[in-house]
Each structure stands twice: as C-alpha cells, then as structure tokens.
C-alpha cells in the first residue's frame, strides 16, 4: 500500500504522519482492533481486514472476539457502545447526537477516547478506500 501511495508524495506523507500520530491513542490496542474490524467490515477492504484480523490475534483477541467485532458488537457493553458509535461515524455521521456522546461519557469513556474514535474511523477509511481504489488485495497464505 505504501509503495502505491507514494505516487502522491503529499498523500503518503499525510498518511505516515497521521498513522504515526494515531499510535498514541489512549484506547487499548485490543479495543482499537475491535473497532477497526467493525469498520473494515463496512468498508469492505479485504487487505485491511486481513491485517486487522492478524493484529487482533497478536493483541490477544480470541476468534470469537474477532467474529463479534466484525459484526460491530462486543460482549462488553462499554466496548459495544463505543464500537457502535464508531460505525455510525463512518456510515452516518450526521446521526451522532449530544445524547450519544453523553451516553459514552456515562459509560466512562473520556473525551479523549471519544475524540480518538473519529481519528480511528478516518485512518481506516483512508487505508481501506485507498486499497480498494488501487486494487490492492490480501495475498493468499501458502499452507
């Protein structure tokens, strides 16, 4: 992806800077992977889905956790609410209301994590859309 993205130095630099910045999010890695899995299920990027599935396993998520995340849900109610809002930010951002933000705060999510959801959505959309536009696909694993 990066080598293809390099056709636009401005895009590549923006991606690298943004990707680096998003590594400093407050959200725990297993949760950020759950969010990314839910988002990529909507976006439809197979390359991104494969990468986030592997990253989720590395972060300690079970196959059941991964399957639930791909459906946009979690067995943890706090996580489920955050994942649902992330998917809405991607699919229907105008539907997000003050009540949604208040609900996330009531569940104990900080304003920092709530703000970082937008960044995580943006990064997933950028990489997924780019890979789809460029025709980049996951390589088949050799047994």
């Amino acid at each position: 992806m990066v080598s293809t993205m390099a056709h636009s130095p401005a895009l590549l630099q923006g991606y690298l800077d943004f990707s680096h910045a998003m590594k400093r999010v407050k959200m725990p890695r297993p949760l950020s992977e759950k969010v990314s899995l839910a988002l990529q299920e909507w976006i439809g990027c197979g390359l991104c889905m494969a990468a986030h599935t592997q990253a989720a396993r590395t972060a300690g998520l079970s196959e059941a956790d991964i399957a639930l995340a791909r459906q946009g849900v979690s067995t943890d109610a706090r996580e489920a609410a955050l994942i649902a809002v992330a998917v809405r930010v991607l699919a229907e951002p105008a539907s997000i209301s003050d009540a949604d933000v208040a609900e996330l705060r009531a569940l104990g999510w900080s304003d920092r994590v709530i703000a970082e959801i937008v960044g995580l959505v943006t990064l997933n959309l950028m990489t997924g859309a780019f890979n789809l536009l460029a025709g980049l696909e996951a390589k088949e694993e050799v047994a």
Side-chain angles (χ1 to χ4, degrees):
M1 178 188 79
V2 173
S3 62
T4 305
M5 199 177 274
H7 290 290
S8 170
L11 176 63
L12 177 59
Q13 190 62 55
Y15 165 74
L16 293 173
D17 290 346
F18 190 46
S19 180
H20 179 72
M22 289 305 296
K23 291 187 187 312
R24 297 189 305 267
V25 297
K26 189 77 171 167
M27 194 180 310
R29 182 62 186 244
L31 178 55
S32 71
E33 291 304 333
K34 287 180 181 182
V35 171
S36 292
L37 288 165
L39 295 170
Q40 289 304 332
E41 190 68 30
W42 272 83
I43 295 166
C45 174
L47 181 59
C48 295
M49 183 60 78
H52 286 293
T53 298
Q54 185 56 47
R57 289 180 183 130
T58 301
L61 294 179
S62 69
E63 294 304 314
D65 289 333
I66 292 168
L68 288 172
R70 289 185 66 172
Q71 296 171 38
V73 296
S74 172
T75 58
D76 180 288
R78 290 181 72 237
E79 288 183 356
L82 196 66
I83 293 167
V85 167
V87 170
R88 285 179 53 207
V89 168
L90 173 68
E92 48 185 345
S95 75
I96 303 295
S97 68
D98 291 344
D100 295 311
V101 175
E103 179 184 346
L104 291 177
R105 287 180 180 138
L107 289 169
W109 294 113
S110 67
D111 286 345
R112 178 178 176 173
V113 170
I114 294 167
E116 288 172 347
I117 280 295
V118 176
L120 195 54
V121 169
T122 303
L123 186 59
N124 273 276
L125 180 58
M126 179 184 212
T127 57
F130 182 84
N131 288 337
L132 290 167
L133 180 67
L136 302 176
E137 298 178 5
K139 293 181 180 163
E140 295 292 323
E141 290 185 27
V142 178

